[in-house]
């Protein structure tokens, strides 16, 4: 049996939802291991669209167990709203198919407010967060002042944890001339919803150990992309968690020996939401075409995504950092109309050629892409379900991409529909 970690190899929005849904049909357990409700997956199943934010993709399938790991930050109200929303589409969510780690940290209203306060105060230096409180919640976690799911079970403990968090937050709020946040109403609101959250709460590390001992297939589902990793991404324009594959072990309490295969989801071009470096960005009609045809708007925020050519340098870097075994290539059909297609194979920095993205923001903003150009195929690939059905130039583009990044393409997605996938290698086999 193989346990698989799925990660995005770019800045997120690579089309993980469709691939994870396809894999979850074979998995027994689907686990989210980082991020919050700032990351979204869109699934289309039998003509029904599901937009998931916190719930793992396995929740839409019968006889699967979905787990929210300790590495996720959970807005309890957003989670309950999402459960209510998905129930209206005929999906049952209960204690048999959903487990939440008792150690997961909560996103509370003052985290969301702090996110907004700081983004507004930053002016032109803003990061471009989703303003959902994810960053401040992670800060409280590493600052040892967060409220965790388990704290909802004890009124006295909850009282102490809120005090610890608000001492910190209110000091900052006063400094920024904002009203202090009062505890009592929040405490009352949390105690009111506590039973609804706690009924799903379990020691996830223990449950996963049980599932592993029974030979269950486990799918670890990442959010965002490797280039948004707080250590390995385009810092400071990153998320506040580790998005690399190894975070699946830390974010769930599984040993690293539980990971047998790392699948990197990779878009056939590049997109990014929000601010930050983007060496291959296209601010022309081709960039607009990619955005329009690829429907490049955020699942959670509906923000327009920036678009550009495939950056092989960055994806190759992501492959090495995350130990990626195979690539699921998505949105190939978006390139169908182009006369020529480019892959970034190196950068120029201060007159010198370099073959990796430098760590410093100033240099990341200065690098200029060096491209290799391929002729477009000018034929439709939409809905193609086998390699033989692809145009020759499309195959050449895929093989060149595969060779450059140093990872095998294991599947190719040719439309948002789950069935329109060319399967070359099944990661579970």
């Amino acid at each position: 049996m193989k346990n698989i970690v799925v990660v995005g190899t770019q800045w997120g929005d690579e089309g993980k939802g469709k691939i994870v849904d396809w894999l979850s049909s074979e998995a027994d357990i689907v686990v989210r291991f980082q991020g919050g409700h700032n990351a979204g997956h869109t699934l289309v199943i039998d003509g029904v669209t599901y937009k998931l934010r916190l719930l793992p993709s396995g929740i839409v399938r019968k006889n699967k167990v979905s787990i929210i790991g300790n590495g996720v930050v959970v807005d309890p109200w957003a989670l309950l709203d999402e459960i209510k929303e998905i129930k209206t589409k005929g999906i049952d969510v209960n204690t048999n198919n959903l487990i939440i780690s008792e150690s997961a940290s909560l996103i509370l209203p003052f985290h969301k407010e702090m996110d907004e306060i700081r983004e507004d105060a930053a002016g032109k230096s803003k990061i471009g967060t989703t303003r959902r409180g994810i960053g401040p919640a992670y800060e409280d976690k590493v600052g040892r002042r967060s409220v965790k799911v388990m704290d909802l079970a004890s009124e006295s403990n909850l009282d102490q944890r809120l005090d610890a968090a608000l001492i910190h937050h209110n000091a900052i709020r006063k400094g920024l001339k904002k009203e202090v946040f009062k505890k009592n109403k929040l405490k009352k609101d949390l105690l009111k919803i506590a039973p609804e959250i706690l009924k799903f709460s379990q020691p996830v590390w223990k449950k996963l150990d049980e599932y592993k001992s029974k030979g269950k297939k486990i799918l670890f589902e990442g959010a965002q992309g490797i280039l948004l990793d707080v250590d390995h991404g385009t810092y400071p324009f990153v998320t506040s968690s580790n998005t690399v594959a190894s975070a699946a072990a830390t974010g769930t309490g599984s040993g690293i020996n539980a990971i047998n295969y790392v699948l990197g989801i990779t878009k056939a071009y590049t997109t990014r939401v929000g601010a930050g470096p983007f060496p291959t960005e296209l601010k022309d009609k081709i960039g607009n075409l990619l955005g329009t045809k690829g429907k490049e708007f955020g699942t959670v925020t509906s923000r327009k995504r920036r678009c550009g050519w495939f950056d092989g340098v960055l994806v190759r870097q992501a492959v090495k950092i995350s130990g990626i075994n195979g690539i699921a290539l998505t949105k190939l059909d978006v390139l169908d109309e182009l006369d020529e297609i480019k892959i970034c194979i190196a950068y120029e920095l201060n007159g010198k050629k370099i073959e990796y993205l430098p760590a410093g923001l100033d240099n990341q903003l200065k690098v200029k892409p060096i491209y290799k150009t391929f002729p477009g195929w000018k034929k439709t690939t939409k809905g193609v379900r086998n390699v033989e059905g692809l145009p020759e130039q499309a195959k050449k583009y895929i093989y060149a991409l595969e060779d450059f990044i140093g990872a095998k393409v294991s599947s190719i997605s040719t439309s948002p529909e789950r069935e329109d996938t060319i399967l070359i290698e099944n990661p579970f086999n």
Side-chain angles (χ1 to χ4, degrees):
M1 295 292 183
K2 278 187 177 180
N3 298 326
I4 300 171
V5 178
V6 175
V7 289
T9 64
Q10 295 153 308
W11 280 292
D13 308 311
E14 298 94 350
K16 290 186 290 298
K18 171 185 169 177
I19 305 300
V20 169
D21 170 56
W22 168 68
L23 289 169
S24 69
S25 67
E26 295 202 23
D28 301 303
I29 319 295
V30 184
V31 194
R32 273 284 306 273
F33 61 85
Q34 51 76 222
H37 63 309
N38 57 335
H41 287 341
T42 301
L43 312 179
V44 181
I45 303 171
D46 298 329
V48 181
T49 299
Y50 304 95
K51 293 192 175 184
L52 305 178
R53 293 168 287 278
L54 270 170
L55 292 171
S57 298
I59 202 71
V60 299
R61 300 202 164 272
K62 291 182 179 179
N63 304 316
K64 311 291 179 185
V65 178
S66 292
I67 297 178
I68 297 174
N70 55 274
V72 179
V73 285
V74 178
D75 181 323
W77 292 281
L79 176 61
L80 293 174
D81 284 344
E82 189 172 339
I83 290 172
K84 188 184 298 182
E85 178 187 333
I86 202 165
K87 281 185 173 182
T88 65
K89 298 191 175 185
I91 302 297
D92 187 28
V93 180
N94 55 60
T95 55
N96 293 318
N97 66 358
L98 178 64
I99 297 172
I100 305 171
S101 171
E102 60 184 7
S103 300
S105 295
L106 298 180
I107 300 173
L108 300 174
F110 53 79
H111 292 129
K112 184 175 183 292
E113 290 182 18
M114 184 61 70
D115 212 351
E116 294 170 342
I117 288 167
R118 291 199 305 215
E119 278 287 274
D120 291 340
K124 291 183 180 178
S125 300
K126 66 177 63 176
I127 300 295
T129 76
T130 56
R131 295 173 177 250
R132 280 165 168 72
I134 280 77
Y138 273 116
E139 288 177 44
D140 278 1
K141 177 182 175 179
V142 297
R144 295 168 291 188
R145 56 179 173 265
S146 71
V147 178
K148 299 203 169 195
V149 169
M150 68 181 81
D151 295 320
L152 297 177
S154 165
E155 183 174 348
S156 61
N157 205 40
L158 177 61
D159 201 58
Q160 292 173 23
R161 301 311 307 148
L162 287 173
D163 281 340
L166 287 173
I167 286 172
H168 172 82
H169 280 266
N170 281 335
I172 297 173
R173 292 169 76 106
K174 285 177 185 177
L176 293 171
K177 296 181 172 55
K178 301 293 181 180
E179 284 186 22
V180 298
F181 195 98
K182 298 202 169 59
K183 179 185 71 174
N184 290 341
K185 184 180 183 301
L186 174 57
K187 179 185 166 186
K188 184 179 178 182
D189 290 343
L190 282 169
L191 289 171
K192 183 178 179 180
I193 64 166
E196 298 178 70
I197 299 296
L198 288 170
K199 70 181 181 183
F200 298 111
S201 173
Q202 292 194 49
V204 160
W205 66 270
K206 188 171 183 295
K207 290 299 297 182
L208 285 173
D209 187 60
E210 291 172 13
Y211 292 135
K212 284 184 285 183
S213 68
K214 292 176 182 176
K216 299 292 186 182
K217 293 181 182 178
I218 304 171
L219 178 63
F220 297 92
E221 176 184 2
Q224 295 125 342
I226 293 169
L227 299 178
L228 290 172
D229 186 278
V230 70
D231 286 305
H232 301 287
T234 47
Y235 192 89
F237 297 95
V238 292
T239 194
S240 297
S241 61
N242 287 113
T243 60
V244 292
S246 54
T250 310
T252 61
S254 298
I256 56 172
N257 61 349
I259 300 170
N260 307 116
Y261 190 98
V262 180
L263 180 67
I265 314 301
T266 306
K267 198 176 285 185
Y269 50 101
T270 310
T271 61
R272 175 164 203 170
V273 171
F278 188 167
T280 64
E281 183 174 11
L282 297 171
K283 298 180 179 179
D284 57 13
K285 63 180 182 180
I286 294 176
N288 288 332
L289 183 147
L290 294 174
T292 301
K293 191 171 180 189
K295 298 179 180 177
E296 297 297 351
F297 298 92
T299 298
V300 172
T301 63
S302 298
R303 287 187 295 177
K304 185 178 179 181
R305 296 172 187 147
R306 299 153 66 191
C307 299
W309 293 122
F310 184 84
D311 193 328
V313 177
L314 285 181
V315 174
R316 181 175 61 185
Q317 201 162 313
V319 165
K320 294 179 185 297
I321 288 168
S322 249
I324 289 170
N325 301 103
I327 289 291
L329 189 67
T330 64
K331 292 199 170 184
L332 182 70
D333 55 302
V334 175
L335 305 178
D336 287 350
E337 298 175 20
L338 298 175
D339 295 318
E340 61 179 28
I341 300 163
K342 298 181 180 182
I343 293 178
C344 175
I345 57 169
Y347 301 130
E348 181 187 318
L349 177 63
N350 299 326
K352 294 182 180 179
K353 181 181 176 182
I354 61 171
E355 296 182 343
Y356 66 97
L357 186 71
L361 178 61
D362 56 344
N363 286 332
Q364 290 178 357
L365 292 168
K366 284 194 293 186
V367 295
K368 296 178 181 178
I370 297 171
Y371 289 116
K372 184 173 182 179
T373 302
F374 297 81
W377 41 91
K378 304 289 287 182
K379 295 178 182 177
T380 184
T381 61
K382 188 177 178 67
V384 174
R385 298 182 184 179
N386 56 71
V387 173
E388 293 73 25
L390 292 173
E392 283 304 311
Q393 294 299 343
K395 287 190 272 189
K396 288 179 181 178
Y397 176 73
I398 293 165
Y399 297 147
L401 182 152
E402 182 180 59
D403 184 61
F404 184 81
I405 65 176
K408 183 178 180 179
V409 173
S410 61
S411 65
I412 303 164
S413 174
T414 57
S415 95
E417 295 299 325
R418 182 174 177 271
E419 293 76 15
D420 293 338
T421 303
I422 301 170
L423 180 61
I424 300 167
E425 174 185 88
N426 187 335
F428 273 122
N429 293 338

